[in-house]
Amino acid sequence: VDRDAGGIAGLKSHLEYLSTLKVKGLVLGPIHKNQKDEINETDLKQINPTLGSQEDFKDLLQSAKKKSIHIILDLTPNYQGQNAWFLPAQADIVATKMKEALSSWLQDGVDGFQFRDVGKLMNAPLYLAEWQNITKNLSEDRLLIAGTESSDLQQIVNILESTSDLLLTSSYLSNSTFTGERTESLVTRFLNATGSQWCSWSVSQAGLLADFIPDHLLRLYQLLLFTLPGTPVFSYGDELGLQGALPGQPAKAPLMPWNESSIFHIPRPVSLNMTVKGQNEDPGSLLTQFRRLSDLRGKERSLLHGDFHALSSSPDLFSYIRHWDQNERYLVVLNFRDSGRSARLGASNLPAGISLPASAKLLLSTDSARQSRGEDTSLKLENLSLNPYEGLLLQFPFVA
């Protein structure tokens, strides 16, 4: 939320756009009153008047619910200060303010809360468990999201083990050399370490995808995040490939480039084909791919709930299957190299009842040339070849 973009009231006018992205939840804020590093001048229950009023917020909540979009409120307390959680000696004061704020906002109808930089919160697992209890006592449907800058798997697991049903965003996936082997290792180690815990996938707790991932891999990472088991978490603008501030500029959240007129208010150069309007009109755009993937994930049970099995494949490729009961199966093949690769898929480690077919239907390619030739093409898996930096999403049926 940015006052230059109309604040809370301005966000309401863009809910329809979020609906076209099949967004299920929107993390809003922080929007509460916070004077930098002043705990007594921080009110977690009151909205910063420069961003809007309580009435604006309630109006946004009602409009979002009509579009089945859940509003998650970011309550990171000292978001304008040096330490997001004030000083360690002030932890009890913060905890008291937080409990009061959680109850108040839940009564107003928010669907959950986000807390960033929990690695800087003393006794974070204890507090998160307590705040989760407050949130879930009102309704089991309420959600808690925590964020950490950490990329250390053990630190991440320690946070997750403290609280059931917690979604955690982190820098774990950005700790990559951007190869197929490294990405497969990161994903499989994470899934093995978290067991049956529902996962969330992101490259940071708050940053833009394009600030962490090279441009030529953005399409690949969209496909990866949407097809891993769990919840993909994106920042606004990731659907376009939006980038943050240039080096040396203040680290301020960028304005959304809606159309030609909005790009003149953005500090870094933005071309017309990087606007929402420009990408809406381009069937080969990043935005078009994002919409397609979001739509598929939302309605295909194998992608939403399905089991995950990594396949052996050529070096620099990461390949896996998603399957659920007797629903359609999905094969994802990702080429992280700057040259073409033959997939050479191996299925020796698949569980009983799951096997690779001779051919599969192409649903999506991140390569614009292949995608432009049309979907629903049947590709033979024995001779499957991928173009440089290409990702494929393939579908094949359950066979009794």
Side-chain angles (χ1 to χ4, degrees), residues 140-160:
E140 282 295 320
D141 294 334
R142 298 299 191 265
L143 179 66
L144 213 65
I145 304 176
T148 176
E149 285 297 336
S150 176
S151 61
D152 182 84
L153 181 57
Q154 190 54 56
Q155 291 180 15
I156 291 168
V157 169
N158 290 343
I159 297 171
L160 287 170

Side-chain angles (χ1 to χ4, degrees), residues 168-358:
L168 181 66
T169 57
S170 72
S171 299
Y172 178 74
L173 279 185
S174 63
N175 184 25
S176 178
T177 53
F178 306 116
T179 64
E181 297 97 325
R182 176 61 175 165
T183 307
E184 178 177 354
S185 173
L186 286 171
V187 169
T188 53
R189 285 179 60 222
F190 191 92
L191 291 173
N192 290 336
T194 53
S196 60
Q197 176 102 21
W198 184 263
C199 298
S200 56
W201 299 99
S202 61
V203 296
S204 77
Q205 64 170 342
L208 288 157
L209 197 63
D211 289 340
F212 295 87
I213 306 300
D215 285 352
H216 57 269
L217 293 178
L218 286 177
R219 290 175 181 269
L220 215 62
Y221 267 78
Q222 274 193 3
L223 177 54
L224 174 70
L225 295 176
F226 269 119
T227 56
L228 288 175
T231 299
V233 180
F234 295 96
S235 294
Y236 75 91
D238 281 346
E239 71 276 21
L240 303 172
L242 184 65
Q243 292 178 310
L246 288 166
Q249 290 184 340
K252 183 183 178 184
L255 292 175
M256 189 71 168
W258 295 105
N259 49 39
E260 297 95 326
S261 61
S262 61
I263 66 176
F264 299 112
H265 304 286
I266 297 173
R268 75 182 299 151
V270 176
S271 61
L272 290 178
N273 63 4
M274 280 299 296
T275 65
V276 172
K277 180 183 177 183
Q279 293 202 23
N280 261 334
E281 296 166 352
D282 179 6
S285 69
L286 198 63
L287 175 58
T288 299
Q289 175 181 289
F290 187 98
R291 283 201 176 106
R292 174 70 171 138
L293 287 168
S294 185
D295 181 56
L296 279 169
R297 184 190 174 276
K299 66 186 182 184
E300 296 296 337
R301 292 187 178 183
S302 290
L303 293 177
L304 197 56
H305 308 293
D307 293 333
F308 168 96
H309 293 285
L311 301 173
S312 61
S313 54
S314 299
D316 300 310
L317 267 62
F318 177 25
S319 308
Y320 50 93
I321 283 178
R322 301 292 312 282
H323 65 94
W324 177 256
D325 196 31
Q326 298 182 13
N327 293 277
E328 298 281 338
R329 278 85 163 93
Y330 290 87
L331 169 63
V332 180
V333 189
L334 308 171
N335 179 16
F336 286 80
R337 281 297 297 270
D338 58 358
S339 57
R341 282 289 184 270
S342 176
R344 297 202 298 271
L345 301 173
S348 58
N349 60 341
L350 287 177
I354 306 291
S355 59
L356 284 175

Side-chain angles (χ1 to χ4, degrees), residues 289 362-368 370-371 390-393:
Q289 175 181 289
L362 175 66
L363 291 186
L364 182 141
S365 169
T366 63
D367 180 82
S368 57
R370 193 194 302 258
Q371 185 68 21
E390 182 180 20
L392 299 176
L393 177 60

